[in-house]
């Protein structure tokens, strides 16, 4: 069985990796959209979500653009996934007639918590191979 992140989260992680490569340099949405072959409007929404979550900073106008708001070693992957997928649910129990006597949701919640805990062991720096931690 494969567990899969949404395309939105996948692109958010790619955006963060690309910006980490640039260091302090700002990039425009248009530049990254073209570089990564991502629709500009979709990338704009992702960048906006990342700004609101505190992972990116954006500057408007001439010389503006986006860049990381934190250093790569301060951005935990699990936090990014949680910010991009705030309503991640594995099953929709509200539609099930067994919901009153079933304990599956409790176990699935524990599994999601473990998933995020494992992802939070890694930072953006770690997945880019620029960290001392393994």
């Amino acid at each position: 069985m494969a567990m899969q992140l949404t395309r939105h989260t996948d692109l958010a992680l790619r955006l963060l990796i690309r910006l980490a490569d640039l260091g302090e340099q700002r990039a425009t949405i248009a530049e990254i959209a073209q570089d990564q072959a991502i629709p500009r409007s979709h990338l704009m929404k992702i960048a906006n979500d990342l700004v609101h979550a505190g992972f990116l900073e954006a500057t408007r106008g001439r010389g503006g653009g986006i860049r990381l708001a934190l250093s790569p070693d301060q951005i935990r992957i699990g936090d990014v996934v949680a910010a991009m997928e705030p309503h991640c649910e594995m099953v929709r129990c509200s539609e099930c007639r067994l919901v009153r006597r079933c304990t599956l949701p409790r176990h699935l919640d524990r599994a999601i918590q473990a998933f995020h805990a494992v992802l939070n062991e890694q930072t953006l720096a770690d997945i880019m191979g620029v960290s001392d931690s393994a």
Side-chain angles (χ1 to χ4, degrees):
M1 179 171 106
M3 189 164 186
Q4 194 168 9
L5 296 174
T6 63
R7 179 104 170 112
H8 189 79
T9 300
D10 176 39
L11 295 176
L13 291 168
R14 292 181 194 201
L15 175 58
L16 291 172
I17 291 168
R18 182 67 184 110
L19 291 172
D21 279 340
L22 296 175
E24 292 293 315
Q25 181 183 342
R26 293 187 186 279
T28 67
I29 296 292
E31 292 167 344
I32 294 175
Q34 182 176 3
D35 179 58
Q36 296 293 312
I38 301 168
R40 185 177 172 180
S41 60
H42 191 62
L43 190 61
M44 180 71 78
K45 174 157 179 27
I46 292 167
N48 193 34
D49 289 348
L50 290 168
V51 167
H52 287 304
F55 298 111
L56 295 184
E57 62 179 46
T59 304
R60 294 179 182 249
R62 183 178 291 261
I66 56 174
R67 68 178 175 193
L68 295 181
L70 305 165
S71 66
D73 63 340
Q74 293 177 307
I75 298 175
R76 296 184 315 171
I77 301 305
D79 291 341
V80 175
V81 171
M84 296 297 102
E85 301 190 32
H87 305 292
C88 176
E89 55 184 4
M90 296 180 81
V91 294
R92 291 184 187 252
C93 294
S94 62
E95 299 170 5
C96 179
R97 293 180 179 176
L98 302 172
V99 71
R100 288 191 175 138
R101 63 179 182 261
C102 179
T103 62
L104 182 60
R106 177 176 49 212
H107 301 294
L108 293 176
D109 285 344
R110 286 182 47 230
I112 289 173
Q113 290 171 6
F115 173 72
H116 284 286
V118 168
L119 290 178
N120 271 333
E121 293 173 1
Q122 300 301 308
T123 65
L124 184 58
D126 293 328
I127 66 170
M128 295 179 63
V130 296
S131 168
D132 291 334
S133 63

